[in-house]
Amino acid sequence: MTKEKIAFIVVRYGKDINGGAEYHCRMLAERLVNDYDVEVLTTCVKNYVTGDNEYPEGEEILNGVLVRRFYSDPVEPDLHKSYVRQAAPAKKWRHFLYRCRLLKPLSYVKPSWHYKEQEEIKALNSQVFYSSSMYAFIRENKASYRAFIPLSFFPHTYYTALYAPEKTILIPTMHNNGSSFRSIITSVFSEVAYIGFNIEAEQKLVENIVGKPLAAHGIISVGIEKTKAADWEQTKVKYNLPEDYLLYVGRIDAIKLNNIVDYFLSYKKKYTGSRLKLVLVGGIFGKTVEHPDIIYTGFVDDAEKVAIQLNAKVIVNPSRYESLSLILLETMSEGKAMLVNGRCNVLREHCEKSNYAALYYMNRRDFMRKLHNLENSETLRQQMGEKGRHYVQENYNWEMIIGRMKNVIQMLS
């Protein structure tokens, strides 16, 4: 029996890509290969800062998934910042209405916004991930696919919704930042067949942004990988890791780090007896800080990452912009204690629903106080670890998540 064909669409894809949405895509795609003919449509871009086409264009098979790579060819990329500035009034105005709690009520009289829409489209088209050949492929081949599943809001999401709305299951990975308030959001999020959110906080955010015309939607979410840890002694020597460390895993850039290096140095200055060092794991896309208590490993493979996580004293996620946080779920499943940014509603929801398997901080002083408690109380860390394992098993097991995904795919006419 011939399997129905589905295609995930994401800006980057590969074993050496460690972005959250990209990893999210890979985990879902690889778990659906027994039920569907699974493809991934993606660009040849590897580094999202430079936007260079580093991968060759064409096809390859990765763990049973057919990956189709298309060249990125942004339109007038040198004008991208100019187009973003020209489009900015729309998202600023909509963000203001959201903060005033007026955006959702207004959706009943103004369901679709077109203010600065052309400028927003030009800004999308000038992004490094814009790929005209990918969008032409979707338009010309949509009859061959049961479903298209784009992740995050980039040009590929807009054009998939434009050319195949009735077959589009959008996984938006949305968070409360300026780009979520663009006018163009209203048309895309009302025209797709279904929207799959990661957590209630994300769903509530979008319900309040889009309002009445929001397409059919619900929670799908994603689970986590269980990878065997690399040998700890070899990993420790390879990356010159200390005995006691606070760990950050993810992209090394200012938005994701969100002052955590500065907070940590303040902690070390106050608690001079602390043996903690800060270890940062991930690709470096911004400035680094040279300090004897700060260690950058660069990119590590999955087995090494697990070994580094298992041997951390505490793990931190300082980002304000999360739609789920895979590193938080991985940390909880491994029985490790975690600190997260309380200004992110998604991260706070995890803390509260798990009965504080993770702790959130609201400012520098709060961070230092809670890190000090965690560093010096093995009992507290163990209690949090037990709660975390239970929380992940009950809420993020793969059987439940893949069941939801398959139900939504089959729901499409």
Side-chain angles (χ1 to χ4, degrees), residues 15-34:
K15 293 180 179 179
D16 53 350
I17 300 295
N18 65 345
E22 295 89 339
Y23 188 40
H24 183 156
C25 178
R26 182 154 61 96
M27 288 191 290
L28 285 175
E30 291 178 0
R31 281 173 170 78
L32 287 167
V33 294
N34 291 330

Side-chain angles (χ1 to χ4, degrees), residues 190-404:
S190 61
E191 293 172 4
V192 297
Y194 192 86
I195 303 172
F197 295 108
N198 283 328
I199 194 170
E200 287 181 16
E202 181 199 9
Q203 178 172 293
K204 290 177 182 176
L205 171 69
V206 176
E207 287 173 343
N208 288 325
I209 290 175
V210 179
K212 184 179 183 295
L214 184 64
H217 59 278
I219 304 294
I220 294 178
S221 201
V222 70
I224 55 172
E225 294 283 10
K226 287 290 186 181
T227 303
K228 185 179 179 181
D231 180 84
W232 170 237
E233 290 304 321
Q234 291 180 6
T235 305
K236 183 180 179 181
V237 171
K238 180 178 178 179
Y239 296 106
N240 192 29
L241 299 173
E243 290 293 332
D244 297 319
Y245 56 93
L246 172 68
L247 174 65
Y248 166 84
V249 179
R251 292 200 314 267
I252 312 298
D253 65 27
I255 293 176
K256 284 291 187 179
L257 291 177
N258 196 31
N259 297 317
I260 200 62
V261 173
D262 188 36
Y263 280 19
F264 178 75
L265 293 178
S266 294
Y267 177 82
K268 292 290 290 187
K269 187 175 181 179
K270 179 174 182 179
Y271 298 104
T272 55
S274 170
R275 297 178 58 194
L276 285 181
K277 293 182 182 291
L278 175 61
V279 173
L280 300 106
V281 172
I284 298 173
F285 296 97
K287 294 180 180 179
T288 59
V289 175
E290 296 297 325
H291 192 280
D293 287 330
I294 299 175
I295 298 168
Y296 297 89
T297 68
F299 184 83
V300 304
D301 66 33
D302 289 342
E304 291 172 332
K305 186 186 78 168
V306 173
I308 295 170
Q309 289 175 186
L310 288 173
N311 286 277
K313 181 156 279 189
V314 181
I315 301 176
V316 64
N317 184 350
S319 174
R320 287 190 63 177
Y321 306 116
E322 296 287 345
S323 66
L324 181 65
S325 182
L326 290 173
I327 185 61
L328 180 145
L329 298 182
E330 290 173 359
T331 297
M332 287 182 169
S333 73
E334 292 162 353
K336 304 298 293 186
M338 190 166 196
L339 270 174
V340 302
N341 189 338
R343 298 189 182 277
C344 173
N345 289 339
V346 166
L347 297 179
R348 285 184 64 175
E349 182 178 321
H350 280 306
C351 294
E352 292 162 357
K353 283 191 169 182
S354 66
N355 193 22
Y356 296 97
L359 302 179
Y360 65 81
Y361 60 89
M362 299 303 295
N363 50 46
R364 185 190 306 261
R365 180 179 296 179
D366 197 23
F367 167 83
M368 293 194 296
R369 177 175 62 83
K370 288 175 178 172
L371 179 58
H372 182 66
N373 291 341
L374 286 169
E375 180 183 4
N376 293 284
S377 177
E378 184 177 354
T379 300
L380 176 58
R381 297 196 302 271
Q382 288 178 346
Q383 289 173 345
M384 290 171 64
E386 291 171 5
K387 293 176 184 177
R389 289 191 184 97
H390 177 74
Y391 176 71
V392 173
Q393 179 56 37
E394 288 296 310
N395 296 278
Y396 296 95
N397 69 78
W398 275 113
E399 182 179 356
M400 177 174 63
I401 288 161
I402 293 301
R404 293 172 183 163

Side-chain angles (χ1 to χ4, degrees), residues 165-191:
E166 74 283 1
K167 293 188 174 185
T168 299
I169 301 168
L170 171 58
I171 299 177
T173 65
M174 290 275 281
H175 31 67
N176 189 352
N177 66 353
S179 62
S180 297
F181 296 90
R182 289 172 288 193
S183 293
I184 205 169
I185 290 285
T186 59
S187 59
V188 172
F189 280 63
S190 61
E191 293 172 4

